[in-house]
Amino acid sequence: MISRLGRYEVAKNEEEADIIVVNSCTVTNGADSGVRGYINQASRLNPEAKVLLTGCGVRTKGESLFEAGKVHGVFGHSEKESVHRYLEKEERFFEIGDLEHVDETVVEQFVGKSRAFIKIQEGCDFRCSYCIIPYVRGNARSLEETLILEQVRRLAANGFGEFILTGTNVGSYGKDRGSSIAKLLKKMSLIRGVRRIRIGSLEPIQITDEFMELLAEPWMAKHLHIALQHTSDRMLEIMNRRNDFASDLALFEKIASRGYALGTDFIVGHPGEDEDAWQEAMARVERLPLTHIHAFTYSKRDGTPSAAMKPAVPGNVAKARHRELTEAVRRKNLAFRRRLREEGRVLEVLVESEKEGLQMGLDQYFNRIAIQSGRELKGEWLALEKWEAEEGMNRGFF
């Protein structure tokens, strides 16, 4: 949207703005509440500004917010490329758009960023019982390959060397175009200036033999995020997932044997998660070669099958389980990093920022590192031989 503002400029804060565009999330009921709260706060900070709503919340709360007069206008995902047209509108408007649109914007710069984020697809064909996203983003559809590659070329020419592939369900890329994410990765890797490629998230069933062949490539980040959501087969069935633990374990062990760090998503406290299911899940987590985790305490989302499921897990129980899970993976991560140190691995780091006199970045295993150095390193690639594994992150010396 920033690249399509027309005559408008980005303000530093809400108070300075003539128009406030709210790019909303609707993944949980709490997200909807957060959007409403922000709109109310922004209106108090700047009563004269027009507030426009876009994003996923358009299809769940857009109409009610518009009818209540909370926002001046509403425009859906498919209309974001026309944001300049909506900024100009004096009269109120409600343009929900469609769920078949594919973005064709070529982004050439990410201000203040060392890494570039490349959106490669939109929508999702999965129908997990807890998730509203397919209903507000539509079915999976891929962006045109030539547009993706052109964007990578321009960003690489502008100095970006690390690229993160993003989307609603990244691993589904190409299924509607006779291609695949593996084929796209190969073509990206041939572009001059591309040094490292990361993938936002994959589903276990999307990791094909074709994809596995790429794991030895030097431009692949040595970290994959593979969304499991749970390790109890009964819970996976309740969640209407397409994976099972036996297959997940075999896949993780195979990838870990190639020297990869592995992360996952995990929903704690979903309805039906009794103590037996939880104990089984944690025993299985200990067997997985996990190094990173995005753990979420289940949050009800109206309009999904899970919202009507019983029995619910008490909030205090879910929070305790969340702590237990994250602590287990924290220990695994530290052990993984210590193993790398003992093996004398060199860390390949892109320095992203400076914080309290330390240079901060991420290595190829997606671990944070703080580097002590006598000079400014932001934007530089380092091969760090001198580093130590500490609690929470690595510490490097350059």
Side-chain angles (χ1 to χ4, degrees):
M1 286 192 285
I2 288 175
S3 68
R4 299 290 186 104
L5 293 181
R7 66 184 180 90
Y8 288 86
E9 296 179 357
V10 178
K12 292 181 180 179
N13 52 54
E14 292 89 343
E15 291 95 324
E16 294 181 7
D18 299 304
I19 303 170
I20 299 170
V21 180
V22 182
N23 191 20
S24 61
C25 175
T26 191
V27 70
T28 65
N29 289 352
D32 280 345
S33 298
V35 170
R36 284 196 302 272
Y38 175 75
I39 288 172
N40 289 335
Q41 179 188 23
S43 297
R44 286 195 299 271
L45 286 170
N46 189 344
E48 302 302 316
K50 293 189 294 188
V51 178
L52 309 184
L53 178 72
T54 188
C56 291
V58 163
R59 290 188 171 267
T60 53
K61 297 299 179 183
E63 189 172 0
S64 61
L65 289 168
F66 184 74
E67 291 180 351
K70 297 287 187 180
V71 294
H72 176 82
V74 174
F75 61 101
H77 278 295
S78 62
E79 307 302 306
K80 285 182 177 179
E81 289 180 281
S82 302
V83 60
H84 60 284
R85 183 159 58 86
Y86 294 110
L87 295 176
E88 300 283 358
K89 283 185 175 289
E90 294 297 329
E91 69 279 8
R92 298 186 74 218
F93 61 90
F94 187 89
E95 298 286 350
I96 198 167
D98 63 63
L99 293 178
E100 298 177 359
H101 176 78
V102 177
D103 195 349
E104 295 185 351
T105 302
V106 175
V107 178
E108 297 186 23
Q109 193 62 261
F110 286 86
V111 179
K113 300 288 186 182
S114 299
R115 301 179 290 157
F117 295 82
I118 309 295
K119 181 178 176 180
I120 65 171
Q121 66 85 229
E122 177 70 271
C124 182
D125 292 338
F126 285 47
R127 293 296 183 268
C128 303
S129 61
Y130 49 81
C131 187
I132 196 72
I133 297 305
Y135 306 99
V136 299
R137 300 295 283 266
N139 289 325
R141 53 209 187 272
S142 306
L143 274 67
E144 174 62 49
E145 183 184 88
T146 54
L147 283 175
I148 296 170
L149 297 176
E150 178 60 23
Q151 184 164 306
V152 173
R153 285 190 193 93
R154 295 190 189 185
L155 286 163
N158 285 335
F160 288 88
E162 180 166 343
F163 297 85
I164 299 93
L165 304 187
T166 69
T168 317
N169 188 326
V170 178
S172 67
Y173 177 82
K175 59 175 289 188
D176 54 337
R177 293 182 179 270
S179 185
S180 67
I181 190 169
K183 289 182 174 64
L184 177 66
L185 286 166
K186 289 176 187 176
K187 292 179 180 179
M188 283 181 61
S189 71
L190 298 175
I191 296 173
R192 183 185 295 275
V194 173
R195 295 187 58 158
R196 186 156 71 197
I197 304 174
R198 296 188 189 274
I199 303 157
S201 181
L202 295 165
E203 293 287 336
I205 64 170
Q206 294 167 340
I207 300 179
T208 62
D209 290 342
E210 181 187 31
F211 184 88
M212 290 292 290
E213 291 175 0
L214 301 179
L215 296 186
E217 295 290 348
W219 42 264
M220 281 282 287
K222 298 301 179 278
H223 165 269
L224 289 177
H225 186 91
I226 304 171
L228 301 184
Q229 305 302 355
H230 217 280
T231 51
S232 161
D233 287 328
R234 183 170 66 81
M235 291 308 303
L236 290 170
E237 185 176 353
I238 289 171
M239 292 176 172
N240 197 33
R241 294 284 298 162
R242 302 185 188 183
N243 55 304
D244 64 85
F245 180 71
S247 300
D248 295 342
L249 178 60
L251 177 67
F252 271 52
E253 287 179 338
K254 187 175 183 179
I255 296 173
S257 71
R258 309 283 185 89
Y260 272 67
L262 286 162
T264 195
D265 294 326
F266 199 111
I267 298 175
V268 175
H270 186 282
E273 187 188 74
D274 58 21
E275 187 62 25
D276 287 343
W278 178 249
Q279 292 302 325
E280 177 187 47
M282 281 305 301
R284 289 178 166 186
V285 164
E286 292 295 345
R287 294 173 62 190
L288 284 169
L290 272 174
T291 57
H292 298 75
I293 197 157
H294 289 168
F296 304 88
T297 302
Y298 172 76
S299 182
K300 184 178 178 181
R301 169 68 262 185
D302 291 339
T304 63
S306 293
M309 290 182 183
K310 305 291 182 183
V313 176
N316 62 322
V317 173
K319 288 179 182 178
R321 291 175 179 175
H322 184 279
R323 287 194 298 272
E324 182 183 358
L325 174 63
T326 53
E327 173 59 21
V329 179
R330 184 199 65 77
R331 293 195 304 269
K332 285 174 170 286
N333 178 272
L334 180 58
F336 175 83
R337 291 185 287 115
R338 284 175 172 169
R339 218 164 36 244
L340 293 177
R341 178 63 277 176
E342 291 169 3
E343 294 169 359
R345 295 294 178 91
V346 174
L347 299 186
E348 299 158 11
V349 181
L350 170 60
V351 181
E352 298 181 56
S353 62
E354 186 273 337
K355 183 178 180 182
E356 297 176 357
L358 296 170
Q359 313 288 317
M360 309 298 293
L362 288 167
D363 64 24
Q364 67 268 44
Y365 304 101
F366 201 61
N367 287 312
R368 182 69 58 186
I369 186 165
I371 303 167
Q372 295 178 209
S373 176
R375 63 185 182 88
E376 171 66 44
L377 299 171
K378 183 177 178 180
E380 291 192 29
W381 288 84
L382 307 178
L384 277 181
E385 297 180 5
K386 297 179 180 180
W387 63 276
E388 298 297 333
E390 298 181 353
E391 288 284 348
M393 69 168 65
N394 294 324
R395 185 174 296 272
F397 308 92
F398 184 82

